[in-house]
Structure formats: C-alpha cells, structure tokens
Amino acid sequence: MPLNLILMGPPGAGKGTQASRLAQRLQVPAISTGDMLREEIRGGSALGREVRAYMDRGALVPDQLIIAIIEGRLQRDDCSRGFILDGFPRTVGQAEALDRALQQLGWSLHRVGSLTVPTDEVVKRLSGRRTCRDCSTPYHVSLDPPSRHDTCDICGGTLQQRDDDHEHVIAKRLEVYARDTAPLLDYYRDRGLLAEIDGRGKHDDVLAALLAHLDVPLTAQTIPVA
Ligand code: ADP
C-alpha cells in the first residue's frame, strides 16, 4: 500500500519545508498545491490568470478547480509509492473529494500530520520569509538567512517575497485557515488519522517528531545524506 500522507497547519507552520524533507527521506513526491498554482501564474497560463486574483488577496481558489488539479496529479506515475500533500485539502469539500479519488485508485490515507505553531510566531515567520524563485527553497531574513544576500544557497536563484506574504494578506490567510481549514482537523481526528506535532524548534527535531508520529515504517525511510 502506498504511503499517502497529508501535512496540515496554518500558513507559516513549516509545511513546505517539512514536506520536502519528508519526501526526500521517504522517496515519494511532495505535492504542494500552492507551488503548482504559483507555477501556473509564472507560466502565464489561463489557469494562472484565473487563480492569481484569489491568491493575491489570501482567498482560497474554488474547490472544483483545485480538486481537478489534484486528481490529475495523483494519477502520475511518481505517486505509485505514495505522496505527501502540502496545502491540500483545505476545505471539508476538498477532503471528501480526496477520499473519493483515493477510493477510486484503491488507496487510503496513512496519516495526517498537523503542525502547530502559535499565531504570533507564524506572523513573524511569514513576514520575513523569502523564497527561491527557481527551486522554492524557503529562507527567512533573520531566522534562516541565505549565505549571500537574496541568493539561494542551493541553486543560486534569486530570492523573492511572495505576493501574499505582506501583512494585510497574512491576516486574511490566517482568518481563512481558522474558518475553512481548521474544521478539517476534526474531520481527520474523527477518522483516527490525525497526529498533532509541535512545529516550533529546529527543522531536524520537527522532522524526527513527524516521522515518529506519522507511524512511518522504518523500511520506508532512506538513510539521510549527511
Ligand atoms: P500557505 O499555506 O503559506 O498559505 P500555500 O502556498 O499553500 O501557502 O497557498 C498559497 C495560496 O494558494 C492560498 O492562499 C490559496 O489562495 C491557494 N491555494 C493553495 N492550495 C489551495 C487549496 N487546496 N485550495 C484552495 N486554494 C489553495
């Protein structure tokens, strides 16, 4: 059975960072709907033009749109051993659609991890966040700066601030999370799938807690590269 995981948490909880680390460790793809949408915007597609207005104001894009994107993505070959979803589902409607899609594929969810971080901390993280334009690696101006100003340590790409990481949009995203996404915690808790993990602390410690609480079988973990 593929190792199908979901990472949840408010904006700024570290889902993207931990999803890529988990993905590397488990050799399954990290699927970020936010990154997929930003890619569409960058490529100038019709879909990109449609979603931009929602994203720039911190609103969710319509369920039917994002559900179609995810359904297509899960059918790609690289998901055959499992996947880590980051940023999906974000509404109960999306969670129900995911359940249906998984059922059709004959799969189920292994676990859902929710990263918890206090609101004042996520605001600090998001307002100082910078992301590599080319490989999406996240940095922070004071908490996790790159070695060269505005330059990605990994690929040398230029770092930029996301359009939705400005203070008034951050407030809106947190409001949307509390209203539309937080109810999903109960959805997965009721199904016995939810694990809540403290998202503060060092990246490696959060990753270790995730691996333990998501009941990831040791056989699924590759040896980390030092
Ligand atoms: P964050 O979790 O920090 O808010 P994301 O990159 O996951 O960042 O999402 C950025 C934006 O992309 C959201 O505010 C929303 O507009 C859009 N988005 C991403 N995933 C979804 C989704 N599953 N449903 C609706 N909108 C989404």
Side-chain angles (χ1 to χ4, degrees):
M1 181 59 79
L3 195 57
N4 300 331
L5 300 167
I6 296 177
L7 267 194
M8 289 187 58
K15 299 183 296 290
T17 304
Q18 294 300 338
S20 359
R21 288 165 156 250
L22 268 177
Q24 211 179 5
R25 193 69 179 258
L26 305 176
Q27 298 291 298
V28 298
I31 300 174
S32 157
T33 42
D35 283 352
M36 291 172 82
L37 295 172
R38 279 184 289 277
E39 193 66 34
E40 293 291 336
I41 292 176
R42 245 186 330 156
S45 69
L47 175 64
R49 284 195 295 277
E50 190 178 347
V51 299
R52 175 157 206 168
Y54 294 100
M55 293 178 75
D56 282 355
R57 62 172 204 274
L60 296 182
V61 310
D63 274 2
Q64 82 271 13
L65 228 157
I66 199 83
I67 288 167
I69 293 176
I70 277 290
E71 283 174 350
R73 181 64 186 85
L74 295 186
Q75 286 172 29
R76 291 205 352 218
D77 287 348
D78 62 344
C79 290
S80 60
R81 292 186 57 241
F83 53 75
I84 300 157
L85 290 178
D86 155 18
F88 184 94
R90 252 174 156 97
T91 63
V92 172
Q94 293 180 18
E96 290 168 349
L98 177 64
D99 285 344
R100 286 192 296 273
L102 291 176
Q103 205 178 7
Q104 276 179 8
L105 291 161
W107 294 343
S108 57
L109 281 174
H110 181 70
R111 298 287 272 165
V112 177
S114 169
L115 292 173
T116 58
V117 177
T119 305
D120 55 343
E121 171 78 18
V122 297
V123 171
K124 192 162 95 190
R125 287 183 181 187
L126 291 170
S127 47
R129 176 161 73 175
R130 299 292 180 274
T131 312
C132 174
R133 207 176 52 190
D134 297 328
C135 72
S136 300
T137 302
Y139 296 86
H140 189 281
V141 287
S142 54
L143 306 172
D144 184 18
S147 29
R148 274 194 302 148
H149 182 68
D150 277 350
T151 307
C152 179
D153 290 341
I154 311 277
C155 76
T158 305
L159 304 191
Q160 59 183 15
Q161 184 171 34
R162 270 170 47 173
D163 288 335
D164 58 353
D165 277 347
H166 296 283
E167 219 145 309
H168 62 287
V169 189
I170 291 173
K172 171 74 180 171
R173 284 159 63 205
L174 289 170
E175 187 190 310
V176 169
Y177 178 80
R179 190 191 59 214
D180 296 333
T181 309
L184 275 184
L185 297 175
D186 278 340
Y187 183 91
Y188 289 121
R189 193 179 286 116
D190 290 349
R191 286 160 178 73
L193 292 172
L194 188 73
E196 289 187 277
I197 292 119
D198 191 341
R200 291 169 297 182
K202 296 203 188 83
H203 289 339
D204 285 348
D205 296 340
V206 177
L207 178 66
L210 276 167
L211 287 166
H213 287 93
L214 293 176
D215 298 330
V216 174
L218 275 177
T219 48
Q221 301 182 32
T222 58
I223 308 296
V225 185

